[in-house]
């Protein structure tokens, strides 16, 4: 079983994706989705030897809802800054965020979250993967933004992944 | 009625947005800005396609929107990869 | 009920169009290339997202059933926007940014994009 499905989550995602792409619920597309879900992970397993560990997968659901809410709030903030703040009053800043997370999946999820939420954007990671470089559109107080990233998102991801 | 006027408004907005992106494309100071302008144009085109599908009731435009989403992302990343590393597939 | 749904779809369309326009306007207005990445990733994505959700609701409204393609496009845009932004930021850092403006990493290693020895 483990040899046939090296990445069970990937297989499930592929099958679901294929069915959604076809957009019709027929037996034929189900069979084809199962074939693809078996073949693609098997053929690509060589380039992806480690299986990502998610300790509490259910924790991802409230996290997604939180991020979605923040994305909408973020957009109103960014729109306000673009429309009503003159350019010379926008104070952008580079922020270095030290990471407590170690799992690569958690770090990439955190980087994506930072990009989608209020006025911040992940620009780079340090070569040893211990810090993220974040650019903030309007940051009168850069330290507050760093603390918010750490308490609001990183601590939640740490509970889910580690 | 309210739906039709909202649809026209949204189509107009994304159309103007595309024109603004074109202006940006021609006046951009750096290469990164030009890639960004093209990327934003792709996203706006996806919106136009979806809204066009809503207006005409045709289901075909969604396939086009999906293809635009895929190729737009891949072209942005490969442009950047080329500028970053000098090659796309290492 | 139908009227409510129709108003919701119309509101989403107006919201989406406005955000798309603001995002593209931000590209022209902001002065620093790093600042310009912000509206491009956020405002345009939410603009298109709102348009796509409106399209899904509209298909429900006219009784055509739920279409998964819009949901796939939305999902795909939300997943790829951070990646495009990350790549564009890395390109900008490498090509046209003075590394001195970047803050220290706080660890022994440098930022990954910078050429070694800087």
């Amino acid at each position: 079983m483990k040899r046939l499905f090296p990445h069970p989550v990937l297989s499930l995602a592929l099958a679901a994706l294929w069915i959604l792409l076809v957009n019709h619920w027929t037996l034929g597309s189900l069979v084809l989705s199962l074939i693809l879900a078996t073949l693609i992970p098997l053929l690509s397993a060589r380039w992806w030897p480690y299986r990502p560990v998610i300790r509490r997968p259910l924790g991802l659901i409230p996290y997604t809802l939180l991020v979605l809410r923040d994305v909408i709030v973020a957009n109103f903030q960014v729109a306000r800054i673009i429309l009503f703040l003159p350019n010379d009053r926008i104070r952008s800043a580079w922020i270095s965020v030290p990471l407590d997370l170690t799992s690569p999946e958690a770090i990439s999820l955190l980087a994506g979250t930072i990009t989608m939420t209020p006025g911040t954007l992940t620009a780079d990671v340090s070569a040893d993967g211990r810090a993220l470089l974040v650019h903030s559109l309007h940051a009168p107080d850069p330290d507050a933004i760093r603390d918010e990233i750490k308490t609001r998102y990183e601590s939640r991801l740490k509970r889910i992944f580690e | 009625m309210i739906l039709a006027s909202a649809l026209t408004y949204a189509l107009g907005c994304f159309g103007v947005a595309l024109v603004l992106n074109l202006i940006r494309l021609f006046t951009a100071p750096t290469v990164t800005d030009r890639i960004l302008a093209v990327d934003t144009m792709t996203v706006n085109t996806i919106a136009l396609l979806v809204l066009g599908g809503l207006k005409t009731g045709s289901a075909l435009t969604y396939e086009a929107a999906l293809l635009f989403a895929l190729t737009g992302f891949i072209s942005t990343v490969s442009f950047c990869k080329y500028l970053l590393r000098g090659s796309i597939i290492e | 009920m139908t009227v409510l749904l129709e108003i919701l779809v119309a509101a989403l369309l107006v919201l989406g169009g406005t955000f798309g326009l603001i995002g593209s306007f931000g590209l022209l207005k902001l002065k620093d290339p790093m600042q310009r990445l912000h509206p491009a990733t956020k405002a345009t994505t939410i603009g298109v997202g709102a348009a796509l959700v409106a399209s899904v609701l509209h298909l429900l409204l006219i009784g055509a059933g739920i279409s998964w393609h819009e949901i796939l496009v939305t999902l795909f845009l939300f997943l790829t926007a951070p990646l495009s932004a990350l790549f564009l930021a890395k390109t900008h850092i490498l090509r046209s940014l003075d590394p001195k403006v970047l803050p220290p990493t706080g660890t022994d290693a440098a930022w990954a994009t910078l050429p070694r020895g800087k």
Side-chain angles (χ1 to χ4, degrees):
Chain A
M1 201 62 189
K2 200 179 169 186
R3 197 178 302 162
L4 194 58
F5 293 105
H7 300 291
V9 182
L10 176 67
S11 301
L12 274 180
L14 278 172
L17 183 71
W18 184 259
I19 291 176
L20 294 187
L21 267 177
V22 173
N23 221 356
H24 295 292
W25 304 91
T26 60
L27 192 63
S29 61
L30 185 69
V31 172
L32 192 55
S33 79
L34 288 181
I35 293 173
L36 285 174
T38 321
L39 275 185
I40 294 176
L42 264 185
L43 294 176
S44 65
R46 206 145 53 94
W47 294 283
W48 196 9
Y50 306 109
R51 198 183 268 195
V53 181
I54 305 177
R55 283 283 152 74
R56 296 179 189 81
L58 283 182
L60 282 174
I61 298 170
Y63 184 76
T64 313
L65 292 179
L66 175 86
V67 172
L68 267 184
R69 203 197 121 250
D70 286 354
V71 168
I72 295 167
V73 176
N75 275 287
F76 281 99
Q77 287 179 355
V78 170
R80 213 189 57 223
I81 292 171
I82 292 172
L83 286 180
F84 300 121
L85 216 55
N87 273 333
D88 50 355
R89 279 189 48 213
I90 299 179
R91 275 197 287 281
S92 297
W94 292 97
I95 305 166
S96 162
V97 180
L99 288 170
D100 293 326
L101 296 165
T102 46
S103 128
E105 291 82 21
I107 293 176
S108 29
L109 203 53
L110 178 67
T113 311
I114 291 173
T115 300
M116 293 312 283
T117 49
T120 50
L121 195 138
T122 315
D124 207 354
V125 64
S126 73
D128 57 356
R130 304 298 308 145
L132 281 180
L133 179 62
V134 172
H135 183 264
S136 177
L137 180 57
H138 181 59
D141 183 8
D143 288 339
I145 288 180
R146 192 187 56 219
D147 293 343
E148 198 196 338
I149 289 172
K150 287 197 78 76
T151 52
R152 197 171 171 87
Y153 305 115
E154 197 186 9
S155 60
R156 284 184 167 90
L157 281 175
K158 205 167 170 59
R159 247 176 285 146
I160 294 172
F161 279 93
E162 282 161 25
Chain B
M1 184 55 218
I2 180 173
L3 204 59
S5 30
L7 193 56
T8 314
Y9 171 77
L11 276 169
C13 274
F14 281 111
V16 175
L18 263 180
V19 174
L20 291 181
N21 291 154
L22 261 182
I23 299 173
R24 177 81 270 175
L25 185 63
F26 285 116
T27 60
T30 64
V31 191
T32 326
D33 276 310
R34 277 191 282 277
I35 304 175
L36 184 63
V38 173
D39 188 54
T40 317
M41 277 178 88
T42 328
V43 178
N44 284 332
T45 314
I46 294 169
L48 272 182
L49 277 171
V50 170
L51 294 176
L54 248 179
K55 204 176 173 71
T56 56
S58 141
L60 263 181
T61 53
Y62 297 115
E63 322 274 334
L66 205 58
L67 285 177
F68 254 92
L70 286 165
T71 48
F73 169 64
I74 290 175
S75 61
T76 307
V77 169
S78 40
F79 266 134
C80 290
K81 196 86 201 294
Y82 178 70
L83 291 175
L84 276 171
R85 307 296 295 263
S87 70
I88 296 165
I89 301 168
E90 292 172 48
Chain C
M1 188 58 206
T2 323
V3 178
L4 267 182
L5 205 57
E6 202 167 302
I7 291 174
L8 184 64
V9 173
L12 276 173
L13 283 174
V14 171
L15 192 77
T18 313
F19 269 114
L21 190 57
I22 291 175
S24 298
F25 172 67
L27 276 189
L28 279 171
K29 184 216 168 197
L30 296 172
K31 290 289 169 244
D32 182 66
M34 273 313 288
Q35 289 177 347
R36 285 196 282 265
L37 277 177
H38 288 270
T41 51
K42 292 192 193 75
T44 51
T45 309
I46 202 82
V48 178
L52 286 160
V53 173
S55 163
V56 172
L57 285 179
H58 181 253
L59 284 178
L60 275 179
L61 184 74
I62 60 172
I66 192 159
S67 167
W68 295 99
H69 277 172
E70 287 95 327
I71 298 173
L72 270 184
V73 175
T74 319
L75 199 67
F76 197 80
L77 277 179
F78 268 78
L79 289 180
T80 54
L83 286 175
S84 311
L86 176 68
F87 268 96
L88 283 164
K90 281 167 87 80
T91 313
H92 176 67
I93 289 174
L94 183 71
R95 287 182 66 92
S96 38
L97 196 76
D98 181 9
K100 287 187 196 72
V101 303
L102 298 180
T105 53
T107 63
D108 298 334
W111 296 114
T113 308
L114 298 177
R116 290 201 175 80
K118 267 194 189 171

